[in-house]
Amino acid sequence: MADALISPLVGGVMWTAAAGSIAYSTAKIKNELGEKKVPVMAVTGAFVFAAQMINFTIPATGSSGHIGGGILLAGLLGPFPALLTIAAVLIIQALFFADGGLLALGCNIFNMGVIPCFVVYPLLFKPILRKGFSVFRIGGAALVSVVVGLELGAFGVVVQTLFSGITALPFSTFVLLMLPIHLAIGVVEGIVTALVLNFVYKMRPEILESSEQRIPLAKTVPVKKVVLLLGLITLLVGGILSIFASAYPDGLEWAMEKTAGTAELEAEGPVFRQAEAIQEATAFMPDYNFPGAEEDGSVAGTAVAGIVGAVLTCLLAGAAGFIIYRLKLRHSGNAA
């Protein structure tokens, strides 16, 4: 979401909700974070950043979509590490690539992180796997959970614009466009999520099993091969496949164009100007390209942005996990 889609009041409320969810996750993650999960947390965050750069065309709509990654991360890491990781992805996107508004960052973390990790994962994904893990159950849980999570997130966007008083996006029209297009996007993301989760499960089933049980990965479980392979895939996705992303507007932009006649609304006021000024100061590759790049430089810029963004996300998510893990060890030592 861009800042123009919400009012400062709604933005502030959602920032508070997102910050509270992150703080809660930081406290709860201490029970399940071990030294083996930190590198997995880092590399999966990088993977989601790179994968979000690939917009895939939705046939016969003139629209495109990209994965959200909330259910994928929750399946690999558990809900609390997943929320911190998706927050890292969205923070890097907003600050360094001007993708998503800074005022709207709380909304984006809530819609793409809190809803799938705190609502859909425990109420839908885990119950489907209650009888045990199998390729079929993992695939079914991924597909159903992603579709429901994306629909709830899309509805969240509509509600947030409604409470913000965005008259250019009337509720009934906007919701009737947002939900169907995100249903189609959710099916594709669900298939991708199922493939990735089953890929990791086949290589190292303990990763998914420990996340479902919310316990640390045993120190005897080797994760180096999984981390290296996911890292290599991330570099290929961010540095090469991102170049071939669909040029069609994504689901939100498409719904806005159909509703309001434009995908870029305008917002006036000191809060919006301040948020924009901060992003202009921090975003060194706005829109995933070199500043001022012409059309002939877009391919190189996209490739560089994909790799740089993935690396930055890896560092931020990994640093968050490492710091929390070290604090956990220190607290355990003091308690002993």
Side-chain angles (χ1 to χ4, degrees):
M1 294 181 71
D3 285 345
L5 291 178
I6 59 170
S7 67
L9 176 59
V10 169
V13 170
M14 298 310 299
W15 256 86
T16 302
S21 299
I22 290 172
Y24 180 68
S25 295
T26 301
K28 299 292 287 187
I29 198 178
K30 294 177 182 178
N31 300 324
E32 57 195 273
L33 191 62
E35 64 181 52
K36 293 288 186 174
K37 186 165 284 189
V38 172
V40 179
M41 187 174 169
V43 75
T44 52
F47 173 79
V48 168
F49 178 96
Q52 284 193 8
M53 292 189 65
I54 302 179
N55 279 46
F56 45 84
T57 299
I58 305 299
T61 65
S63 175
S64 68
H66 61 75
I67 77 164
I71 293 297
L72 173 61
L73 291 172
L76 292 172
L77 304 170
F80 301 115
L83 179 65
L84 297 182
T85 305
I86 194 68
V89 172
L90 295 168
I91 289 168
I92 293 296
Q93 289 174 342
L95 285 179
F96 301 131
F97 301 94
D99 184 10
L102 195 58
L103 178 63
L105 181 58
C107 294
N108 291 327
I109 291 174
F110 189 89
N111 297 335
M112 298 176 67
V114 174
I115 289 175
C117 296
F118 284 9
V119 179
V120 180
Y121 178 81
L123 297 181
L124 202 55
F125 187 91
K126 283 187 69 173
I128 293 175
L129 295 176
R130 188 165 292 156
K131 293 184 178 180
F133 285 82
S134 69
V135 171
F136 178 77
R137 287 199 189 100
I138 292 171
L143 181 59
V144 172
S145 299
V146 167
V147 168
V148 172
L150 204 57
E151 288 290 271
L152 290 175
F155 187 71
V157 172
V158 177
V159 171
Q160 287 150 13
T161 59
L162 174 67
F163 280 105
S164 295
I166 308 298
T167 57
L169 301 172
F171 178 83
S172 57
T173 304
F174 198 31
V175 77
L176 288 175
L177 288 165
M178 282 287 284
L179 295 187
I181 196 65
H182 282 88
L183 174 62
I185 295 170
V187 171
V188 178
E189 181 184 348
I191 293 171
V192 172
T193 300
L195 291 173
V196 175
L197 290 179
N198 274 309
F199 170 75
V200 174
Y201 181 72
K202 287 289 188 179
M203 289 188 64
R204 190 54 58 197
E206 298 92 339
I207 292 177
L208 271 68
E209 292 168 352
S210 67
S211 297
E212 190 273 336
Q213 297 168 23
R214 291 195 50 222
I215 58 175
L217 269 169
K219 293 183 178 181
T220 56
V221 176
V223 297
K224 189 175 187 179
K225 186 176 180 180
V226 173
V227 169
L228 289 176
L229 275 175
L230 285 177
L232 178 60
I233 293 171
T234 296
L235 292 177
L236 292 174
V237 170
I240 299 177
L241 294 184
S242 61
I243 296 172
F244 303 99
S246 173
Y248 287 123
D250 65 24
L252 174 57
E253 294 170 337
W254 177 87
M256 289 176 61
E257 286 183 350
K258 296 290 185 181
T259 305
T262 178
E264 296 184 7
L265 301 180
E266 299 294 330
E268 295 293 335
V271 175
F272 296 102
R273 287 194 294 271
Q274 184 62 39
E276 183 180 5
I278 293 173
Q279 281 189 296
E280 287 179 352
T282 59
F284 57 83
M285 295 192 75
D287 296 323
Y288 303 101
N289 211 331
F290 300 120
E294 301 297 333
E295 187 65 27
D296 58 0
S298 61
V299 171
T302 299
V304 171
I307 294 173
V308 171
V311 170
L312 289 174
T313 305
C314 181
L315 292 174
L316 180 57
F322 179 76
I323 291 170
I324 295 170
Y325 173 65
R326 296 301 300 179
L327 290 174
K328 170 188 171 183
L329 289 182
R330 182 179 299 177
H331 181 266
S332 300
N334 291 338

